[in-house]
Amino acid sequence: MAAIAGAGVSMTSMIEPFISAPAAGKRVGIIGLDTSHAVAFTKTLNAEAASADYLGYKVVAAYPKGSLDIKSSVDRVPGYTEEVKKLGVEIVGSVEELIKKVDVVLLETNDGRLHLQQAIPVLKAGKRLFIDKPIAASLADASKIFKASEQYKTPVFSSSSLRYITGIDDVLSGKLGKVVGAQTYSPSVLEPTHPDFFWYGIHGVEMLFTVMGTGCKSVSRVHTADTDVVTGVWEDGRVGTFRGTRSGKKDYGCTVFGEKSTVTLTQFKGYDPLLKHIIDFFDTGVVPVDPKETLEICAFMEAADVSKKTGMAVSMESVFKKAK
């Protein structure tokens, strides 16, 4: 399918600034045009003066189908499809067709329930794969994705863009000393087809694990119509808290308590910091987020749902056992 079709105007001249042919191995494909992330990534990579940080990678093809039944996602597909076509992206009719045209893949489908079935053929074909949040709509499916990655010897990673909020590098480099605790917050809109935090609260949960690391032992949750407060206790006694909001101003942030000082991070500057890590991953095959951490994030969110139902603290071990 042609990227743009029209009569009486040279379409080549209209889109040429965006479609300089990528070098071998640098053709990016997108699965799912039901999220603004897909458009944002394409605009950055396919810009006429794309930053050297992106190493010449270009989006060349996209399979638009995302969620089949989440109306807010389905309604976005036609508009986002037109936007990426204007950036020189070919629209294809299946995941299998996409795989033949690209070297690496951004799985952007907004609906985590589809990620496992969409990821398998990509991994089987040996194409390095980034899966946008959530990695899946369950811990069980996330585990299957990583097992497929191992089986087909093809690396995969998933992350929220909030993992790279401004200032977090100082925390991770040890400038605060050991992190002794953290409080994160983000909007937490609920979507009936997904466990509560998998849909949107994952942004704040991802920040929490970025600064606290793995090792969460138990999870407890306080839930109201407007707010969730989820507390995790780590194996070494540290405590981390996530606050998910559904009313009031929609802010993202993180307060980190360190041995040397306490800092609050509130400057989220969009998707480009995440995209830089994605491109480095595509280029090297080195996974920037340990699968163990991603699985623990999923277990934390599932444990929070169990705690919501029971009103009690839930062990992470019990959630992992159930998923198996």
Side-chain angles (χ1 to χ4, degrees), residues 44-70:
T44 297
L45 293 178
N46 289 21
E48 182 177 9
S51 168
D53 287 343
Y54 305 113
L55 307 178
Y57 282 80
K58 303 286 184 183
V59 179
V60 300
Y63 171 61
K65 292 292 182 66
S67 179
L68 303 178
D69 59 358
I70 299 175

Side-chain angles (χ1 to χ4, degrees), residues 43-244:
K43 284 181 176 179
T44 297
L45 293 178
N46 289 21
E48 182 177 9
S51 168
D53 287 343
Y54 305 113
L55 307 178
Y57 282 80
K58 303 286 184 183
V59 179
V60 300
Y63 171 61
K65 292 292 182 66
S67 179
L68 303 178
D69 59 358
I70 299 175
K71 189 176 186 301
S72 63
S73 291
V74 173
D75 290 349
R76 294 186 187 114
V77 172
Y80 289 159
T81 299
E82 289 305 311
E83 286 194 58
V84 301
K85 284 169 67 176
K86 291 175 183 176
L87 298 171
V89 177
E90 179 183 2
I91 303 303
V92 300
S94 68
V95 172
E96 289 70 24
E97 185 181 353
L98 179 86
I99 290 169
K100 295 175 182 177
K101 296 175 178 287
V102 303
D103 305 299
V104 293
V105 175
L106 297 164
L107 204 174
E108 294 298 319
T109 301
N110 221 15
D111 190 340
R113 295 172 299 170
L114 300 179
H115 285 180
L116 176 62
Q117 70 182 67
Q118 292 180 327
I120 294 298
V122 178
L123 296 172
K124 189 173 182 178
K127 312 288 184 178
R128 292 172 184 170
L129 175 65
F130 169 75
I131 303 178
D132 217 325
K133 65 84 192 165
I135 185 171
S138 69
L139 172 61
D141 274 8
S143 298
K144 291 175 184 177
I145 288 170
F146 285 122
K147 287 179 181 176
S149 172
E150 293 178 3
Q151 178 182 352
Y152 298 117
K153 296 179 174 56
T154 305
V156 60
F157 94 98
S158 178
S159 176
S160 157
S161 55
L162 271 296
R163 174 176 288 273
Y164 302 105
I165 191 170
T166 302
I168 209 160
D169 286 345
D170 288 343
V171 177
L172 301 181
S173 68
K175 288 187 177 181
L176 279 64
K178 179 183 177 181
V179 173
V180 297
Q183 296 176 343
T184 67
Y185 55 90
S186 75
S188 186
V189 179
L190 303 180
E191 164 53 49
T193 60
H194 284 60
D196 288 357
F197 299 142
F198 278 73
W199 182 250
Y200 212 86
I202 187 172
H203 288 304
V205 176
E206 184 109 30
M207 281 190 285
L208 184 64
F209 276 83
T210 302
V211 297
M212 292 287 289
T214 57
C216 184
K217 181 179 179 181
S218 67
V219 177
S220 58
R221 175 177 176 182
V222 175
H223 170 81
T224 72
D226 294 330
T227 308
D228 281 294
V229 177
V230 187
T231 301
V233 178
W234 266 246
E235 293 171 350
D236 57 6
R238 295 179 302 145
V239 175
T241 302
F242 162 62
R243 183 182 185 92

